[in-house]
Amino acid sequence: MKQGIIFDMDGTLWDSAEQVAASWTLALHQCGYADVIVTKEDMYRTMGRTMDKIAEMLFPFTQGKEREDLLATCCAVENDYLREHGGKLYPGLRQTMETLQKAGYHLYIVSNCQSGYIEAFLDYFSFHDLFEDILCFGDNGKPKGENIRLLYEKNHLDTAVYVGDIQGDYDATMQAGLPFIHAAYGFGQIDHPVEKIDALMDLPEVMKKIG
């Protein structure tokens, strides 16, 4: 059987809120919005939303094409910034992923982020050998639940679980028809009883437990 583990990004594999906030502030200033500052707290309150919804929340002073162009600039600057500066990894990521690979699991990432974001993460930390495939909202404009299912089917998985940290991740996983594991060290709570990990390094033991 081909068994997969599909991961969320923010709050599950890393925390890049501080770096993303800095990059968006830089982009805003480049675009002429010199008085606007995006904070780490702003990024936390938008976690899990698609990029168009984040722009609506953070750029209420824009609309239409102006907002679309500003968002595109912020995303481009962000990807370049993260490729240079990285973000804060949760402890033991490489060791945990290598342990899971040795146990026979195939590893993937599905996120609501823009195109290039996951690639910046993989580039900065040299993690391309850990994850076999990735998919995000920016690639096709589809919600996370659809993308989890698309990646599952594309990679011909027999079984898979999704690991995420917020209620939206759980809801998307249910839409995809897969089991869910809560990264309880992340940014959110889940309103249903689910398997959980209190640290990323706990995942191999939980996978043994659930088979």
Side-chain angles (χ1 to χ4, degrees), residues 111-154:
S111 171
N112 271 337
C113 62
Q114 75 273 14
S115 295
Y117 181 81
I118 303 174
E119 291 88 342
F121 163 80
L122 298 175
D123 288 347
Y124 183 80
F125 292 106
S126 299
F127 282 164
H128 288 275
D129 60 315
L130 300 180
F131 300 95
E132 297 180 27
D133 199 3
I134 62 175
L135 189 58
C136 71
F137 173 81
D139 292 336
N140 58 16
K142 294 183 182 297
K144 181 174 280 188
E146 286 189 42
N147 278 334
I148 293 171
R149 193 70 203 179
L150 283 171
L151 183 139
Y152 178 91
E153 293 173 351
K154 174 189 172 186

Side-chain angles (χ1 to χ4, degrees), residues 7-198:
F7 293 89
D8 171 52
M9 280 284 298
D10 299 301
T12 301
L13 298 178
W14 75 345
D15 178 355
S16 66
E18 184 173 349
Q19 290 78 13
V20 172
S23 70
W24 280 41
T25 298
L26 178 63
L28 282 158
H29 293 178
Q30 290 176 357
C31 291
Y33 301 94
D35 297 329
V36 182
I37 296 175
V38 178
T39 67
K40 178 171 62 174
E41 288 68 31
D42 288 329
M43 302 317 303
Y44 284 142
R45 68 186 176 89
T46 64
M47 287 294 178
R49 292 173 172 83
T50 56
M51 302 308 298
D52 54 341
K53 296 299 182 183
I54 293 174
E56 183 179 328
M57 293 176 66
L58 297 187
F59 310 146
F61 48 87
T62 65
Q63 58 184 347
K65 190 174 186 302
E66 179 186 3
R67 181 178 293 170
E68 292 174 6
D69 290 346
L70 180 57
L71 176 61
T73 299
C74 285
C75 289
V77 172
E78 174 187 333
N79 288 344
D80 290 341
Y81 191 93
L82 290 174
R83 194 168 276 110
E84 181 178 351
H85 298 278
K88 182 181 178 182
L89 281 184
Y90 289 111
L93 193 151
R94 173 167 282 281
Q95 177 184 349
T96 300
M97 299 304 142
E98 288 178 346
T99 298
L100 291 167
Q101 285 180 325
K102 289 176 182 176
Y105 294 102
H106 301 262
L107 311 180
Y108 309 92
I109 299 173
V110 172
S111 171
N112 271 337
C113 62
Q114 75 273 14
S115 295
Y117 181 81
I118 303 174
E119 291 88 342
F121 163 80
L122 298 175
D123 288 347
Y124 183 80
F125 292 106
S126 299
F127 282 164
H128 288 275
D129 60 315
L130 300 180
F131 300 95
E132 297 180 27
D133 199 3
I134 62 175
L135 189 58
C136 71
F137 173 81
D139 292 336
N140 58 16
K142 294 183 182 297
K144 181 174 280 188
E146 286 189 42
N147 278 334
I148 293 171
R149 193 70 203 179
L150 283 171
L151 183 139
Y152 178 91
E153 293 173 351
K154 174 189 172 186
N155 288 278
H156 306 290
L157 296 173
D158 295 304
T159 64
V161 300
Y162 189 80
V163 183
D165 66 305
I166 63 174
Q167 184 66 38
D169 294 331
Y170 172 85
D171 295 339
T173 307
M174 295 303 99
Q175 292 167 12
L178 298 180
F180 178 79
I181 295 175
H182 180 211
Y185 53 85
F187 301 135
Q189 302 296 320
I190 307 300
D191 294 336
H192 300 80
V194 293
E195 291 287 348
K196 71 169 186 173
I197 52 174
D198 293 313

